[in-house]
Amino acid sequence: MDNNIAKNFIESLIFSAEEPLTKESMKKMLSYYGDFDLDLILRELKNDYKNRGVELIELEKRFYFKTADTLNDYMRIETKKTRNLSPAAMETLAIISYHQPVTRAEIEKIRGKPVFRGTLDTLLELKWIKPSGRRETPGRPVTWVTDFEFLKHFGLKSIKDLPKVDELESVIL
Amino acid sequence: MDNNIAKNFIESLIFSAEEPLTKESMKKMLSYYGDFDLDLILRELKNDYKNRGVELIELEKRFYFKTADTLNDYMRIETKKTRNLSPAAMETLAIISYHQPVTRAEIEKIRGKPVFRGTLDTLLELKWIKPSGRRETPGRPVTWVTDFEFLKHFGLKSIKDLPKVDELESVIL
Amino acid sequence: MHLNLNISGYEGPLDLLLDLSKKQKVDIKKISILELANQYLNFVEENIENLKLTADYLVMASLLAYLKSKLLIPEEKEEVQEIQEDLTQRIVHYNAIKKLSNKIFQLQREGYDFLNISIQNEFIISNKIVPKISLQDLILKYSEIFKKKKSIKLLTEKNDFYSLEDGESWLKKIFKLKEKNWLKLFKFLPEDTKNFKMKKSAVLSLLLASLDNVNQGKILINQKDHFEEIMVKLNNG
C-alpha cells in the first residue's frame, strides 16, 4: 500500500463509517498495511474538501464528513407538485367532511357506488383523512374523519367552518 | 448560486441522499436556484473522484457514491450482512438473471423442482428481483426480472457484465 | 410448510442426475443415459424411505424407468431419442446455472467488498404533492352527489341488495328456536329471493352475519370439508 492508497483508504473509511471515527481506530486499520502518517493524511483530506460540497469535520477527536456549511442556505427545499384529485376521491372527501365520523359502507351508501381502498389511501397519504374509532355495529367498522392537513389546505380553523348543508341547499341545489 | 456552488450542491446531494439519485430529481432541485448544466457537473464530479477513496457511480441513470474499487482488497468490512442465501434462492436468482424475463414455471423447469413462494419472497425483499409484464400464454403468468439493487449489490454496470460460462451458450435459451 | 427436503445434499432430481453424470467422467453432453438411469433408479431405491415426500424425484424416476425399458430394446431406441436429448440438455443447462449461481456470489459485493456511502445530511427535502382542489370544488362535489343520488335511486331501487342487518334478522330465528342441535345455515335463507343475483346477495349477508355472531361468541359454525353443508348451533345452546 503506497501513501496515496493509504490516504484513499482513510478517506473511504471515514465516508463509509456509520459513526464518526477516532484516530485510534483509523490508526489500527492502517497498521495492517504499513506505517503511515495519519495526521498528515487527515490534514490533506481536510484541505482537499475545503471548497467542496462536503467537508471533513473533526469533533471531539472524531472525524466525519457532512454537507458543507456554505450550502446551508440551499438546504431547505420543498418541492410542490400539483395534481388533480380523482372525482372518486373528491366525492369521498366531501362525504367524509360533512358526515364524519363515517364508515366506508356509509360513504358507499351515500355515493351509491363502491369506495375503493385506493381512494381512501390517496386521502390518507395527503393526511386529509384519518381513521377514527370503530362503530359498534356488526363487523365493528372503522370510521373516518378529516385530518389536520385538510383544514390547513382549505384554510379552515375548524371543521365547523365548513358551510352547512342547509346553507348549501339554498345556494346550490 | 454560482456554478461552483451548483456543483457543490449536487455533490452534497448525491453524498447525502439515502437512495441513488436520478438526473431528473437533481435537475429539479437545481432549477430552484438557476439554470445549470447538470451533465457537465456530473462529468466533472466523476472526474474529480477518479483517483480517490470513493467513486461516483452511474447505474441505470442513477448516481451514488461507493468506496473505490481499488480499495476492495483492503476493506475489512466488519458490519457484514451475513445473510446467506439458500441454494434454492441462489439457483433461482441465477436463472432469473440469465433468462429474464422468466416465469415461475420456466424457472421450475430449469431447476427440475418446484420454486416455493418463500424463495421468490426472499429475493423480492432484497429488491434483487421484481415482477415484470405478463407472458401472453395461457394463464398470462407474470414474468420476473432482476432489479436495480441486484446490480448495485454486485457492483455490476449492467446485466451484460454478469459472469459467463460456456455451458450456457450450448443450451437454447 | 416448506417441503424442502434435501436428500443427501441434493437440491433436486436434476442435481442428483448431474452428480451421477459427473461420475461417468466423460463430457457431460456424451453421458450414457442408460447408465445414468440405472444409477438414479438404484439411488432412489436405496433412499426410498426419505423420498416418500418428494414427488419430483419419483416423477424423474418413472421417466428414467421408461427410458431404460425402451433403451434395452434396440429397435425402440430411436423412439426415445428426443427424450434422451432433452434430458441431456436439461442436465447441461442445470449444470450451467449451478456454476453461474456460484460465480455470481464470488463477485465483489456491497457490504463485503465495498460500501455505498450516505453521509450525515443537513438537507431537508420534502416532496409534497398538493392536489388542485378548492373549497368550492369540494362543496360543489358534495351537492352533486345528492343531485345524482336522486336520479340514481330510481334506477337502482329494484336492484337492491340485502344488507348485513338482513342476514342478522334471518339468523335471529336460531335464537328463538332454542335448538341444541346443529342446524343447516342455509335453512335460514329467505325463500322469496327474486333472482340469482339476489340469492347470492342473501347468501353473503347470511354468511357475514353468522361470522359476526361467531366472533361475538353467540353461535358456533362448522363445515366438514369444502362444499360440504355449513352447520350452525347456539353456543352453550
Side-chain angles (χ1 to χ4, degrees):
Chain A
M1 193 187 255
D2 66 18
N3 280 324
N4 193 42
I5 296 185
K7 183 178 157 190
N8 286 351
F9 180 62
I10 292 299
E11 185 182 19
S12 85
L13 275 184
I14 302 174
F15 262 123
S16 59
E18 277 175 33
E19 306 238 295
L21 288 177
T22 61
K23 272 191 198 172
E24 287 68 43
S25 62
M26 288 187 267
K27 216 169 244 164
K28 197 173 162 205
M29 291 195 253
L30 257 187
S31 68
Y32 294 109
Y33 303 111
D35 196 17
F36 300 97
D37 185 345
L38 181 62
D39 287 313
L40 176 70
I41 290 176
L42 290 169
R43 268 204 308 284
E44 279 186 18
L45 283 174
K46 245 187 207 171
N47 204 48
D48 292 347
Y49 284 95
K50 217 161 214 169
N51 295 305
R52 303 207 59 105
V54 293
E55 56 187 334
L56 181 57
I57 302 290
E58 179 180 357
L59 183 66
E60 293 179 347
K61 291 183 181 173
R62 284 161 192 267
F63 292 79
Y64 63 98
F65 281 100
K66 67 178 268 302
T67 51
D69 269 351
T70 46
L71 294 170
N72 280 353
D73 292 345
Y74 304 106
M75 291 199 183
R76 267 153 221 276
I77 302 173
E78 193 166 273
T79 59
K80 276 189 187 171
K81 255 192 239 166
T82 54
R83 192 179 65 180
N84 283 324
L85 213 54
S86 71
M90 276 169 74
E91 278 185 24
T92 305
L93 180 67
I95 293 166
I96 294 174
S97 41
Y98 278 100
H99 294 268
Q100 57 187 299
V102 62
T103 68
R104 181 158 156 186
E106 289 160 355
I107 302 171
E108 291 179 336
K109 210 165 183 187
I110 297 170
R111 282 193 73 207
K113 44 182 145 167
V115 173
F116 294 104
R117 180 73 216 182
T119 307
L120 291 174
D121 284 346
T122 308
L123 297 170
L124 256 173
E125 249 171 58
L126 290 164
K127 294 210 173 96
W128 281 9
I129 63 165
K130 63 181 178 191
S132 186
R134 289 174 182 279
R135 177 81 27 100
E136 289 306 332
T137 53
R140 301 189 69 242
V142 77
T143 61
W144 296 92
V145 296
T146 52
D147 202 357
F148 175 73
E149 290 291 330
F150 169 80
L151 296 176
K152 214 171 128 198
H153 179 89
F154 293 103
L156 300 167
K157 281 213 182 66
S158 100
I159 202 67
K160 287 179 197 133
D161 290 349
L162 267 179
K164 299 259 173 354
V165 182
D166 46 7
E167 288 174 307
L168 292 177
E169 261 164 343
S170 57
V171 182
I172 305 161
L173 294 182
Chain B
M1 194 188 254
D2 65 20
N3 280 326
N4 194 41
I5 296 188
K7 183 178 157 189
N8 287 350
F9 179 68
I10 292 299
E11 185 183 19
S12 80
L13 266 186
I14 301 174
F15 262 123
S16 60
E18 274 173 40
E19 303 245 295
L21 288 177
T22 60
K23 270 191 199 172
E24 288 67 43
S25 61
M26 291 187 264
K27 212 169 248 163
K28 192 147 185 231
M29 293 199 250
L30 257 188
S31 69
Y32 292 99
Y33 301 112
D35 195 18
F36 301 96
D37 185 346
L38 181 63
D39 287 313
L40 178 70
I41 289 176
L42 291 169
R43 267 204 307 283
E44 280 185 18
L45 283 175
K46 247 188 208 170
N47 205 46
D48 292 347
Y49 283 95
K50 219 160 215 169
N51 295 305
R52 303 206 60 103
V54 294
E55 58 183 331
L56 180 56
I57 302 289
E58 177 179 358
L59 179 63
E60 290 184 350
K61 295 183 180 172
R62 288 188 245 192
F63 293 79
Y64 63 97
F65 281 101
K66 67 181 266 299
T67 56
D69 263 356
T70 46
L71 295 170
N72 282 358
D73 294 343
Y74 304 109
M75 301 295 290
R76 286 166 189 240
I77 293 164
E78 275 160 36
T79 54
K80 262 196 188 176
K81 298 167 205 156
T82 43
R83 184 167 180 187
N84 281 324
L85 280 187
S86 68
M90 280 169 70
E91 283 182 18
T92 304
L93 177 68
I95 294 168
I96 295 173
S97 347
Y98 287 93
H99 295 277
Q100 57 185 300
V102 62
T103 68
R104 180 158 158 185
E106 289 160 355
I107 301 171
E108 290 181 337
K109 198 174 175 210
I110 296 169
R111 288 195 66 214
K113 63 175 294 183
V115 172
F116 295 102
R117 180 74 218 181
T119 308
L120 290 176
D121 284 347
T122 307
L123 296 171
L124 260 172
E125 254 171 53
L126 289 165
K127 289 198 180 136
W128 284 5
I129 63 165
K130 62 180 176 191
S132 185
R134 290 176 182 277
R135 177 79 30 97
E136 289 305 332
T137 52
R140 302 188 68 241
V142 76
T143 61
W144 296 91
V145 295
T146 52
D147 202 358
F148 179 76
E149 288 294 329
F150 169 71
L151 295 177
K152 196 171 148 220
H153 182 86
F154 289 102
L156 298 166
K157 289 235 161 54
S158 97
I159 204 73
K160 286 177 198 132
D161 290 346
L162 276 173
K164 298 203 167 48
V165 292
D166 298 338
E167 285 93 333
L168 201 62
E169 310 294 319
S170 69
V171 296
I172 303 137
L173 300 183
Chain C
M1 194 188 67
H2 252 206
L3 222 80
N4 215 344
L5 193 68
N6 210 340
I7 297 145
S8 327
Y10 290 114
E11 255 305 301
L14 275 178
D15 200 21
L16 171 57
L17 278 177
L18 176 63
D19 192 53
L20 294 172
S21 331
K22 280 179 179 162
K23 284 183 182 139
Q24 291 188 13
K25 289 187 176 145
V26 293
D27 182 342
I28 212 160
K29 280 172 237 167
K30 291 173 188 148
I31 38 164
S32 152
I33 291 288
L34 185 57
E35 198 181 318
L36 196 63
N38 276 330
Q39 287 169 336
Y40 185 94
L41 293 171
N42 279 341
F43 183 94
V44 167
E45 210 167 300
E46 281 164 26
N47 290 278
I48 195 73
E49 286 302 311
N50 295 332
L51 288 169
K52 258 182 199 160
L53 287 170
T54 50
D56 37 352
Y57 280 89
L58 298 177
V59 170
M60 182 61 79
S62 66
L63 174 71
L64 288 171
Y66 170 77
L67 265 180
K68 188 181 153 186
S69 68
K70 293 283 178 187
L71 287 169
L72 289 174
I73 310 162
E75 54 267 31
E76 291 198 14
K77 259 187 181 172
E78 257 174 40
E79 255 180 57
V80 291
Q81 188 82 24
E82 219 169 281
I83 307 177
Q84 268 193 89
E85 271 173 24
D86 181 58
L87 194 59
T88 313
Q89 193 78 304
R90 283 179 71 187
I91 298 170
V92 169
H93 194 166
Y94 182 73
N95 185 32
I97 286 299
K98 222 181 152 183
K99 274 190 190 171
L100 287 167
S101 78
N102 286 321
K103 274 197 171 180
I104 289 175
F105 284 86
Q106 282 159 17
L107 292 169
Q108 50 167 352
R109 289 176 71 178
E110 174 186 346
Y112 295 79
D113 306 295
F114 62 86
L115 290 167
N116 294 321
I117 289 156
S118 179
I119 63 164
Q120 239 178 310
N121 169 2
E122 305 282 330
F123 276 99
I124 300 169
I125 298 166
S126 60
N127 221 329
K128 232 181 157 183
I129 290 172
V130 188
K132 269 189 270 177
I133 172 176
S134 66
L135 197 53
Q136 284 85 342
D137 297 333
L138 188 74
I139 295 162
L140 280 169
K141 202 80 209 171
Y142 187 66
S143 64
E144 234 178 73
I145 296 166
F146 286 94
K147 276 188 201 159
K148 246 197 256 168
K149 245 196 111 180
K150 278 181 193 156
S151 50
I152 287 171
K153 244 201 172 145
L154 296 170
L155 292 170
T156 54
E157 219 144 34
K158 54 182 172 200
N159 238 342
D160 222 352
F161 292 106
Y162 289 114
S163 67
L164 186 52
E165 284 77 14
D166 292 327
E168 189 79 16
S169 67
W170 305 325
L171 199 63
K172 279 232 165 79
K173 279 185 242 161
I174 196 175
F175 302 115
K176 283 188 196 140
L177 282 172
K178 294 198 172 123
E179 177 73 61
K180 285 185 184 175
N181 296 320
W182 288 97
L183 301 164
K184 289 180 181 170
L185 174 65
F186 292 134
K187 280 266 184 242
F188 295 94
L189 279 179
E191 280 161 12
D192 55 349
T193 40
K194 280 177 245 165
N195 51 38
F196 183 62
K197 210 165 160 190
M198 287 306 281
K199 186 157 188 204
K200 266 209 294 201
S201 158
V203 167
L204 259 178
S205 16
L206 183 64
L207 253 178
L208 284 175
S210 60
L211 287 177
D212 197 59
N213 273 290
V214 169
N215 203 17
Q216 292 173 37
K218 289 184 189 161
I219 62 165
L220 299 171
I221 196 163
N222 185 25
Q223 185 184 26
K224 282 205 177 108
D225 209 340
H226 298 306
F227 309 113
E228 292 274 315
E229 195 75 59
I230 299 174
M231 307 296 285
V232 286
K233 139 182 191 325
L234 276 180
N235 202 1
N236 314 318

